[in-house]
Amino acid sequence: MSDLGRADKIAGQKRVLLLKPRGFCAGVVRAIDIVKIALDTFGAPIYVRREIVHNRFVVNELAEKGAIFVNEIEEVPAGQRVIYSAHGVSPAVREASKARGLRVIDATCPLVTKVHVEAVKFAKQGYSLVLVGHRDHDEIEGTLGEAPEATQVVSNVAEVEALVVPDPDRVAYLTQTTLSLDEARDIIHALKVKFPNIVGPHTQDICYATENRQVAVRNVAPGADLVLVVGSTNSSNSNRLVEVSNNLGTKAFLIDNSAAIDPKWLEGADSVAVTAGASAPEVLVEDVINYLQLNGYSSVEEVEVMPENVRFGLPPEIIQAIGGAGGAQPIPVR
């Protein structure tokens, strides 16, 4: 892939390398569809706890259709419908919803649910649990809530050294689904050094889409002069894409849209790679491409690093909601 970028530099032609896969993952598509179907089925308002996905454009678009985004369950009027975001929630949030008589539609990504199930399993087996991730992220908050007494969160290698557990031979680890592969590898290695008998999930918790987008950047960034990542600042997986490129020595910037591009970034950049985080819609990518074309990047080449064809089915709550259109049947709280 990098040879493409070097050829551009020699020829002096300005062009865009459009990475694929990029943008929406299956969990994001599913979550957004759930909100849209709920609005179509029941009409506005539909309450959503936290941002359904971490992208301001998507959230604003759904808000215009009638979705009301709240930070906590207590902000939802008793008896109303509420959708949990793709990042998942803790058991405490589920209990609060039940206490308020809320009709819940769960848009948690199935890959996040997998991590929740693993947390419960390890805790029941008597393991001390180390959760690798960013403390302020909604996903970590939800997973931590599954077994708070048994779980500690670590965000870097240095924090591993400070860990103290009742039994060093009964330790398990899990990770946030949107971490950098390199970041997770280094922390997991440190955990294995500190706790030689530590166990982990049968398959890695970092989701396929996070990995695929990072692999695409890793393949293309070395041959580009600049990498632009479309995504919101609170999107963990989008920030990781910037880090991957910067760590490879290719300057990268996270942008919401073309308006965030500093023209100075393009000075001397003949080859610009463009990708998008898993919660960024393609319309914003097209906006960036149009901007670049207007600024002399006449050639746009899509570079597919690997195919991606994952799809997730809708949750039972939304299927039942469709069947009971008009609200004749209550949506059970889980």
Side-chain angles (χ1 to χ4, degrees):
M1 301 298 175
S2 60
D3 289 342
L4 290 171
R6 293 192 183 100
D8 282 351
K9 294 174 189 177
I10 294 171
Q13 179 191 21
K14 288 187 175 183
R15 74 173 181 178
V16 176
L17 300 176
L18 182 57
L19 277 60
K20 185 178 181 181
R22 64 180 179 276
F24 280 176
C25 64
V28 165
V29 170
R30 176 179 181 268
I32 294 171
D33 283 348
I34 287 169
V35 178
K36 289 181 177 178
I37 291 171
L39 287 167
D40 289 343
T41 303
F42 302 112
I46 295 290
Y47 291 85
V48 184
R49 182 184 181 273
R50 307 284 172 87
E51 292 188 349
I52 188 67
V53 298
H54 284 159
N55 185 271
R56 177 50 52 186
F57 180 90
V58 171
V59 169
N60 289 343
E61 186 177 55
L62 293 173
E64 290 174 1
K65 295 179 182 295
I68 298 177
F69 292 87
V70 299
N71 284 323
E72 302 301 340
I73 286 301
E74 289 71 24
E75 300 172 52
V76 182
Q80 292 296 309
R81 289 184 177 82
V82 65
I83 297 175
Y84 296 151
S85 80
H87 311 103
V89 299
S90 68
V93 171
R94 296 184 186 279
E95 286 302 313
S97 296
K98 189 174 182 179
R100 296 181 64 78
L102 303 181
R103 289 171 286 182
V104 171
I105 302 173
D106 192 350
T108 301
C109 174
L111 299 180
V112 173
T113 298
K114 165 185 173 288
V115 182
H116 283 227
V117 171
E118 291 166 340
V120 172
K121 179 193 71 173
F122 282 130
K124 285 183 177 179
Q125 292 174 348
Y127 285 92
S128 294
L129 189 58
V130 179
L131 183 56
V132 180
H134 304 289
R135 287 181 178 80
D136 58 349
H137 195 275
D138 289 341
E139 181 185 328
I140 288 295
E141 177 187 303
T143 306
L144 178 62
E146 294 289 359
E149 297 83 6
T151 306
Q152 299 182 70
V153 178
V154 296
S155 299
N156 53 55
V157 171
E159 291 179 357
V160 172
E161 292 304 312
L163 285 173
V164 177
V165 297
D167 184 354
D169 292 323
R170 295 288 290 177
V171 182
Y173 74 86
L174 298 171
T175 75
Q176 184 177 327
T177 63
T178 54
L179 292 182
S180 157
L181 296 172
D182 295 336
E183 175 185 29
R185 182 196 61 231
D186 292 344
I187 296 175
I188 292 169
H189 174 73
L191 285 169
K192 289 180 177 179
V193 170
K194 186 175 179 69
F195 306 112
N197 294 323
I198 195 169
V199 297
H202 290 301
T203 58
Q204 73 170 24
D205 291 328
I206 296 176
C207 84
Y208 78 94
T210 295
E211 178 174 4
N212 289 351
R213 281 148 190 73
Q214 288 179 26
V215 170
V217 170
R218 189 174 287 120
N219 274 270
V220 177
D225 298 308
L226 173 70
V227 173
L228 297 178
V229 178
V230 181
S232 291
T233 55
N234 62 340
S235 167
S236 175
N237 76 89
S238 298
N239 279 286
R240 304 295 80 76
L241 295 177
V242 173
E243 290 175 2
V244 168
S245 182
N246 283 332
N247 288 340
L248 290 169
T250 301
K251 194 65 177 177
F253 296 96
L254 181 64
I255 56 174
D256 274 314
N257 49 48
S258 66
I261 298 174
D262 185 340
K264 292 182 180 179
W265 300 343
L266 303 179
E267 294 177 1
D270 291 332
S271 179
V272 177
V274 176
T275 188
S279 51
E282 184 66 11
V283 64
L284 298 182
V285 176
E286 294 170 354
D287 170 57
V288 170
I289 298 301
N290 289 337
Y291 174 92
L292 291 172
Q293 288 181 313
L294 290 172
N295 283 273
Y297 293 83
S298 56
S299 174
V300 178
E301 177 180 349
E302 188 169 68
V303 182
E304 182 171 12
V305 176
M306 78 279 288
E308 187 175 279
N309 300 297
V310 179
R311 297 289 184 274
F312 293 140
L314 294 171
E317 297 95 331
I318 201 67
I319 294 174
Q320 183 175 351
I322 296 171
Q329 297 296 324
I331 301 170
V333 175
R334 291 177 60 188

